[in-house]
Amino acid sequence: MKYILNGIGVLFTLLLVFMVLLVGVVTTANKPKGDNEQVLSGKDGITKKAMIIYQPGFTKFTTRIARELAAGINAGGYGVTINHPGKHLSTDLSGYELVIFGSPTYAGQLTKALTNYLTQVCPQLVKATGESPRIVLFATGGLAQTEEFERLDGMLAGLNVVKKVKFSSKEQSAYDLGLELAQK
C-alpha cells in the first residue's frame, strides 16, 4: 500500500510540474515580441503592398511560414512588410491591398498578442472608406483542426477575408500560397 501511495504521489507531482510548465509556455507565447519590421521591396516600382503581422512561437515554424508567405507574395510582385503585433505597430492598414495575420496555436487558441491587435485593427478596417484589403489568416499547430478561426468570426465580420489556413506539417508550402495570393 505504501508503494502505491508513493507512486500516486510521484505521478501527482509530475502532473503538477507539467501543468506549471505548460502555463509558463502559454504565458510566454502570449507576450508581445516587440518591433521586428522586415521589408521586402516590390519589383520595378510596383506599388502593390502587403503586410504580414504574426506572433512567433516557441519553435521557428510560425516564423518560417510567415517568411515563406512573404517570399511568395514578393515574387508575385508585391512589396511586403513583416512585423509582430503590438503597441509599436500602427492600426491603420488602409494602404495595403493584402493583410495577413498569423499565430501559433496553443491549447486551441491563437496568441493573445495577435487577438488583442486584431481587436484594435478590425473596427478601423470595417470603418475605412474605399475598398478594404484582402485579409488572410494563418495558424500553425500540431492539429489540422481550425476552431481557433471560428472564435474570430464576430471580430472579422464585414471584412474581406479571402482565406483561413492552418499549417500543421512541414509539407505544406507557404511560398506557393503566397504566389497564389499575389496573383489574385
Side-chain angles (χ1 to χ4, degrees), residues 8-121:
I8 291 172
V10 168
L11 188 60
F12 179 75
T13 302
L14 289 174
L15 183 62
L16 184 63
V17 167
F18 175 75
M19 290 178 66
V20 167
L21 287 173
L22 184 60
V23 167
V25 165
V26 171
T27 300
T28 302
N30 280 323
K31 290 182 182 176
K33 303 300 184 210
D35 192 2
N36 188 31
E37 184 175 270
Q38 299 169 2
V39 178
L40 303 174
S41 300
K43 294 177 175 63
D44 302 324
I46 295 174
T47 59
K48 292 194 275 184
K49 292 175 25 178
M51 170 68 98
I52 299 176
I53 301 166
Y54 78 98
Q55 179 74 2
F58 281 105
T59 67
K60 302 289 182 199
F61 188 54
T62 306
T63 299
R64 190 187 71 147
I65 293 298
R67 288 182 180 160
E68 285 180 14
L69 276 168
I73 294 166
N74 186 247
Y78 278 72
V80 183
T81 303
I82 309 167
N83 210 337
H84 303 314
K87 293 180 181 177
H88 64 277
L89 195 59
S90 172
T91 57
D92 180 11
L93 301 176
S94 60
Y96 296 94
E97 287 83 13
L98 177 63
V99 179
I100 300 172
F101 298 103
S103 172
T105 304
Y106 296 108
Q109 301 284 328
L110 300 174
T111 59
K112 290 226 184 285
L114 183 70
T115 55
N116 288 343
Y117 181 76
L118 283 168
T119 300
Q120 296 171 356
V121 79

